[in-house]
Amino acid sequence: MEKPNAPATERNRDAIHEVIAELCSDDQNEFQLFEIGSGTGQHAAYITPQIENLTWHVSDLEPNHEGIKAWTDDIDKVLGPYSFKVGEHNELPVKNVDFVFSANILHIMHWKLAQQMFKVLSQSLESGSLVLFYGPFNYRGEYTSKGNERLDQWLKERFKDGKSTIRDFEEVNLNMSKLGFILQEDREMPANNRMLIFHKL
Ligand SMILES: C[S@@+](CC[C@H](N)C(=O)[O-])C[C@H]1O[C@@H](n2cnc3c(N)ncnc32)[C@H](O)[C@@H]1O
């Protein structure tokens, strides 16, 4: 199969690599990362070969698996793709993961599904695990840039059922904290995106 291309991954992959490499900086340890909504698998394909002590488990809905395989099949430490659909699966298919990473998913899925995902994470992860959400967020109900405002308008036009919209950082933080996570870091990323890093208590 020809490799599908998500051009945004080429713009944000170095910044995402930097965060994940920092989290794996203890080279005496092996780290397991589970990704929700891997899309094309390009983040895994770019980042995993650069971090020796990292294994990356990719997942998405089945129609995306062929594309993910085209990017990752020949990379030893990328495992999967697993079928993992929030709303259908109530636990992560991989146990004892150190990190769950998900990029550009919270503004796509229905808020009820996002809350369901938080619950699955809370039930599946051990104390000390980290959850990393990459993407655009609003703060106190305000866009952080004109670009994010345009993206939100596009989401509302494209998905007229109203399920897709940029989420409020405060809502995500509140829901995660009710489920036993504390915000470890809210890092600025390129193009008005953020990396929210939550720590499971
Ligand atoms: C905007 S894409 C982001 C893909 C990739 N993470 C990236 O940043 O390029 C959103 C992804 O979420 C996946 N997705 C949508 N609904 C989902 C659900 N209920 N459970 C798991 N994944 C879902 C889609 O199939 C899609 O691959």
Side-chain angles (χ1 to χ4, degrees), residues 31 55 69 77 93 108 111 130 140 147 152 159 163 198:
F31 295 96
T55 299
K69 284 184 195 162
K77 290 177 109 185
I108 297 292
W111 179 238
L130 301 181
R140 291 173 292 279
D152 206 34
F159 306 102
K163 70 169 188 166
F198 290 95

Side-chain angles (χ1 to χ4, degrees), residues 6 8-9 12 35-41 43 59-61 64 84-87 101-105 107-109 113 134 163:
T9 61
N12 59 33
E35 183 180 17
I36 300 176
S38 301
T40 57
H43 285 133
S59 81
D60 209 301
L61 316 186
N64 287 339
F84 180 72
K85 182 176 183 181
V86 179
F101 166 66
S102 196
N104 295 314
I105 201 170
H107 62 278
I108 297 292
M109 62 171 48
L113 277 186
Y134 172 89
K163 70 169 188 166

Side-chain angles (χ1 to χ4, degrees), residues 122-183:
S122 158
Q123 286 163 358
S124 302
L125 293 177
E126 302 291 328
S127 170
S129 306
L130 301 181
V131 176
L132 287 73
F133 291 130
Y134 172 89
F137 293 93
N138 287 344
Y139 288 78
R140 291 173 292 279
E142 304 280 341
Y143 297 113
T144 60
S145 69
K146 281 276 167 216
N148 281 359
E149 186 172 357
R150 279 194 295 276
L151 168 68
D152 206 34
Q153 277 154 5
W154 178 83
L155 288 167
K156 286 174 178 159
E157 275 296 301
R158 168 110 196 262
F159 306 102
K160 290 199 189 296
D161 57 5
K163 70 169 188 166
S164 300
T165 185
I166 294 180
R167 306 296 168 198
D168 281 332
F169 158 78
E170 292 82 2
E171 278 296 302
V172 174
N173 193 21
L174 179 68
N175 277 264
M176 288 291 280
S177 65
K178 281 183 185 162
L179 291 164
F181 291 92
I182 54 161
L183 185 71

